[in-house]
Amino acid sequence: MATVIGIDVSNFVCKQLFGDKDRDAGQSALAKMHGAKMLFPDAVVYLAFDAMPPTFRHKLFPEYKAGRNSDPDVKKKIVDAIQYLRFHARNAGLIAVEVEGHEADDVLASLARQCRIRREQVHLVSEDRDFYTLLMYEGVRLWKFISAVHSRSY
């Protein structure tokens, strides 16, 4: 049975940065994503990125994410980390995915559903609690990266 790993990069980078604002989130995230590939060497790894706003949620609710951190230095670090990951994904054997009008969690939920139809094992990596609903599908696992060494699986 094939194994697919889907990583919510936008969520992951933000969690890295807010944990340590001096950290290079792009390099740190790429190292952890290589770790996922090492755990499952035959897996296909997808890196899902949020599309630029507005997404369909912004259109439904204009105040969506209005209360998020607007510090320009933090935003620049997020953009730099995501650009770094997009650039290095192909060389690392990872597949970058972004769908206009959708966030990474929407893309990964669709990926998980398609993989389960094909009876593939799916490992999703995110801190987003919305993913818990996908655990109702047999063969879907959710991982949270807590540190470079420890992870938690549900």
Side-chain angles (χ1 to χ4, degrees), residues 123-148:
H123 298 267
L124 300 173
V125 182
S126 181
E127 297 279 329
D128 189 333
R129 286 182 234 128
D130 291 342
F131 280 107
Y132 291 162
T133 59
L134 297 173
L135 294 174
M136 69 181 180
Y137 297 112
E138 183 181 337
V140 175
R141 294 190 63 119
L142 178 60
W143 294 75
K144 286 181 157 187
F145 276 98
I146 298 169
S147 72

Side-chain angles (χ1 to χ4, degrees), residues 47-89:
L47 306 183
F49 296 89
D50 287 348
M52 293 298 295
T55 66
F56 76 92
R57 287 189 181 98
H58 291 96
K59 292 175 184 173
L60 292 172
F61 183 63
E63 298 300 314
Y64 180 66
K65 292 192 178 184
R68 297 285 170 100
N69 188 329
S70 60
D71 180 343
D73 291 336
V74 172
K75 283 187 175 184
K76 182 179 181 338
K77 286 183 180 184
I78 291 170
V79 168
D80 289 348
I82 288 174
Q83 287 176 341
Y84 177 89
L85 289 166
R86 276 193 184 115
F87 180 79
H88 290 285

Side-chain angles (χ1 to χ4, degrees), residues 3-83:
T3 301
V4 173
I5 300 173
I7 301 174
D8 184 347
V9 175
S10 301
N11 176 276
F12 193 68
V13 166
C14 289
K15 297 295 180 185
Q16 291 286 300
L17 278 173
F18 291 115
D20 182 355
K21 289 189 172 109
D22 294 325
R23 170 184 293 178
D24 183 327
Q27 289 181 356
S28 176
L30 187 63
K32 290 179 183 179
M33 291 169 197
H34 275 294
K37 186 72 172 162
M38 288 172 57
L39 284 172
F40 302 96
D42 296 328
V44 177
V45 180
Y46 291 90
L47 306 183
F49 296 89
D50 287 348
M52 293 298 295
T55 66
F56 76 92
R57 287 189 181 98
H58 291 96
K59 292 175 184 173
L60 292 172
F61 183 63
E63 298 300 314
Y64 180 66
K65 292 192 178 184
R68 297 285 170 100
N69 188 329
S70 60
D71 180 343
D73 291 336
V74 172
K75 283 187 175 184
K76 182 179 181 338
K77 286 183 180 184
I78 291 170
V79 168
D80 289 348
I82 288 174
Q83 287 176 341

